[in-house]
Amino acid sequence: MECSQSLFDSASVCLDATRPAAKLALTRRHAEAFAAGEVTLVGADSVVKPIGEPGRPSKPHLVAPRNLAQRGLGSIEGRAALVHAVAHIEFNAINLAWDAVYRFRGMPEAYYRDWVMVADDEARHFGLVEARLNELGFCYGDFDAHNGLWEMAEKTAHSCVERMALVPRVLEARGLDVTPGMIARLRSVGDNDTAEIFALILREEVAHVAAGSRWFAWGCEQRGLDPETTFDTLLKHHLPQGIKGPFNTDARLRAGFSHTELGRLHELAA
């Protein structure tokens, strides 16, 4: 395989890919190479580029969340819009995982193994969701989308602790909360094919959020910070408007949230 020997170069190559098919293929290739020991952590002292826009296609057109059209699931177009929204989340999640690899240097090897695994999983998820979108007669880019996940990545580019707290444990963890309801709604209109894909993603996303919990706690320990207090402080600073509930308590506990943190989330959502 022709690829760089540096994992950080691999991450950069995957981040820069604009076409979804290329990003998926590169992610699979570099994840396999890292697992095989063909790509290593050499070059950790190389210059880290300031965060910018990741590689992505010219569509979907990005708009403010309030400007996204609301559609019911009673029509094929309505279901396709929901599938497209999830596809966009998964595509962003590939970039987020690779940026977590690329940007934060000097972490334990297990950290990089976790986030390469997450990137590989998210690429597989995107492939499944995109294929379902195509079955419904639509393509990725046919609907507008928002850029909230990447905007938070930009705000936390200076700190791995903040990134782990606010991207996996807040924005991506939201998927643990809302996906069960989406699955139930899809089943109620007879779309079991989409529901099964979402159920698979839900099961695997618990481990992704857990990786965020694990490395958030590790980063706090290295800095002598209390994780629960730090998480609360970061929520207040970055999300002064509060956080939406309800919360999937069982999934969040399995993903590394403490009962104290969950109690605080409930308070902030009240």
Side-chain angles (χ1 to χ4, degrees):
M1 171 186 148
E2 294 182 4
C3 76
S4 167
Q5 292 300 298
S6 168
L7 178 63
F8 307 106
D9 288 344
S10 292
S12 182
V13 166
C14 293
L15 271 168
D16 289 345
T18 57
R19 292 186 302 109
K23 195 179 292 284
L24 268 58
L26 286 166
T27 293
R28 181 87 282 262
R29 189 184 315 164
H30 286 278
E32 287 179 343
F34 184 56
E38 298 168 11
V39 169
T40 69
L41 299 178
V42 297
D45 57 350
S46 60
V47 175
V48 179
K49 295 179 293 186
I51 194 167
E53 290 296 318
R56 57 183 167 211
S58 58
K59 291 186 176 180
H61 179 57
L62 300 179
V63 301
R66 65 180 177 276
N67 293 332
L68 291 173
Q70 300 297 313
R71 298 176 173 89
L73 298 185
S75 67
I76 290 178
E77 184 176 13
R79 294 197 296 279
L82 174 63
V83 173
H84 187 278
V86 174
H88 184 65
I89 290 169
E90 298 300 329
F91 189 80
N92 267 286
I94 304 168
N95 287 327
L96 290 165
W98 280 123
D99 192 71
V101 170
Y102 173 80
R103 190 152 308 284
F104 303 115
R105 308 293 172 90
M107 299 292 286
E109 184 175 341
Y111 168 89
Y112 299 106
R113 294 205 175 277
D114 275 351
W115 291 107
V116 171
M117 177 272 292
V118 171
D120 199 27
D121 280 355
E122 303 293 16
R124 178 167 47 82
H125 292 172
F126 177 83
L128 291 170
V129 178
E130 183 187 38
R132 180 58 183 151
L133 185 63
N134 296 160
E135 290 172 356
L136 292 171
F138 295 84
C139 296
Y140 180 55
D142 283 351
F143 298 90
D144 290 344
H146 71 80
N147 200 30
L149 277 169
W150 193 256
E151 288 171 358
M152 185 61 80
E154 292 176 329
K155 291 176 183 177
T156 58
H158 64 286
S159 166
C160 188
V161 166
E162 293 194 21
R163 173 70 64 83
M164 294 297 109
L166 295 165
V167 174
R169 304 191 86 226
V170 173
L171 299 185
E172 293 187 273
R174 188 70 187 135
L176 304 182
D177 304 327
V178 302
T179 303
M182 289 161 45
I183 293 169
R185 289 165 57 211
L186 287 163
R187 293 200 191 283
S188 74
V189 297
D191 192 346
N192 290 316
D193 290 339
T194 303
E196 286 300 319
I197 294 170
F198 285 11
L200 168 67
I201 291 172
L202 175 61
R203 289 194 297 272
E204 295 187 352
E205 288 294 340
V206 171
H208 300 175
V209 178
S213 294
R214 183 160 51 253
W215 294 108
F216 170 66
W218 184 89
C220 287
E221 181 181 4
Q222 297 299 303
R223 292 160 179 76
L225 302 173
D226 175 71
E228 292 175 345
T229 302
T230 302
F231 187 57
D232 189 46
T233 299
L234 290 173
L235 287 176
K236 290 176 180 175
H237 177 71
H238 287 278
L239 298 165
Q241 73 279 13
I243 187 168
K244 290 183 180 179
F247 305 102
N248 186 338
T249 299
D250 176 67
R252 282 181 176 261
L253 287 171
R254 288 186 284 120
F257 283 79
S258 69
H259 287 283
T260 299
E261 286 174 326
L262 286 171
R264 185 62 181 137
L265 287 175
H266 283 288
E267 291 174 8
L268 291 172

